[in-house]
Amino acid sequence: MCRRFTILTLDETLDVIQKIEMASPVLLQPDWPAQRPSAYPQSKAPVVVPMFDPAMGAPLAPGSLGACELIWGFEEPWHNGVIFNSRIESAAKPTWREAMSHRRCFAVAPSFFESHQSETVPSPKTGKPIKRPCEFRAPDGGPLFLGCIWQGDRFSVVTTEANRCVAPVHPRMPMVLRQDELPLWLGPNYQALADRSNIQLEMQ
């Protein structure tokens, strides 16, 4: 259950969009800071949204993508708090069907965190034991593209079954996409990406 990931600024996200639309590799620049701010549920984060309906799909050409800052977590009357993760396996359920079909998007993240199932560490705030936060990055240091859905001014991170890199820590992981998979994620056949076993990640 992803509840934290590091983020880019909105301007950096716009630079990433330009590279994606020009089919140029997206790299984390050397002058970008090593210590990044993090997004948490109920905080704002830059999200890349298509300027077309993902149910129809379209080429990722100049002008096809935009960026905006959205609040992390859907609000639903039947749920206390916010829903910040959405299972890819639940795409057909009424709560998610509309957003999964028509409002898919993604966030650009240098890393994401999962809480370890069994290992604990002292909380830096209270000193009490908490589940150890484990940070995952791309082996080459490049950005991760996290599949998301949005509605109104809010978004939710889509999750899937953990692959062998994440499974020792947590049974779920964000929908981590490669750059060349973004057109498929923003198209009608996105569920073909549910299996993330080919995604390589390193735990920090």
Side-chain angles (χ1 to χ4, degrees), residues 151-167:
Q151 61 181 17
D153 61 351
R154 292 178 173 269
F155 76 99
S156 177
V157 174
V158 177
T159 66
T160 190
E161 183 178 347
N163 64 17
R164 61 182 178 82
C165 303
V166 181

Side-chain angles (χ1 to χ4, degrees), residues 127-151:
K128 295 180 179 180
I130 59 171
K131 291 182 178 180
R132 180 165 72 90
C134 300
E135 184 178 15
F136 291 90
R137 294 178 177 269
D140 62 0
L144 303 173
F145 303 96
L146 307 184
C148 303
I149 55 177
W150 66 276
Q151 61 181 17

Side-chain angles (χ1 to χ4, degrees), residues 54-197:
M56 303 299 293
L60 300 188
S64 63
L65 300 174
C68 56
E69 290 187 320
L70 301 178
I71 301 168
W72 186 6
F74 284 3
E75 292 182 313
E76 297 290 345
W78 49 266
H79 183 80
N80 291 327
V82 295
I83 303 173
F84 49 88
N85 287 165
S86 304
R87 290 174 173 253
I88 188 71
E89 299 91 341
S90 300
K93 292 186 176 181
T95 301
W96 312 120
R97 187 183 301 135
E98 182 73 13
M100 285 286 192
S101 294
H102 301 287
R103 293 191 297 277
R104 267 169 278 125
C105 56
F106 62 90
V108 186
S111 66
F112 70 89
F113 293 78
E114 292 290 0
S115 297
H116 202 285
Q117 299 177 88
S118 57
E119 295 182 12
T120 61
V121 294
S123 167
K125 292 183 179 179
T126 66
K128 295 180 179 180
I130 59 171
K131 291 182 178 180
R132 180 165 72 90
C134 300
E135 184 178 15
F136 291 90
R137 294 178 177 269
D140 62 0
L144 303 173
F145 303 96
L146 307 184
C148 303
I149 55 177
W150 66 276
Q151 61 181 17
D153 61 351
R154 292 178 173 269
F155 76 99
S156 177
V157 174
V158 177
T159 66
T160 190
E161 183 178 347
N163 64 17
R164 61 182 178 82
C165 303
V166 181
V169 170
H170 197 277
R172 304 289 298 177
M173 63 179 280
M175 180 69 65
V176 178
L177 307 164
R178 298 192 305 267
Q179 184 176 346
D180 63 352
E181 293 176 323
L182 294 176
L184 183 56
W185 173 247
L186 299 177
N189 300 316
Y190 70 96
Q191 292 206 38
L193 295 168
D195 181 359
R196 298 288 78 200
S197 57

Side-chain angles (χ1 to χ4, degrees), residues 40-58:
Y40 298 88
Q42 291 283 39
S43 68
K44 283 189 174 182
V47 176
V48 180
V49 296
M51 309 306 289
F52 54 86
D53 185 348
M56 303 299 293

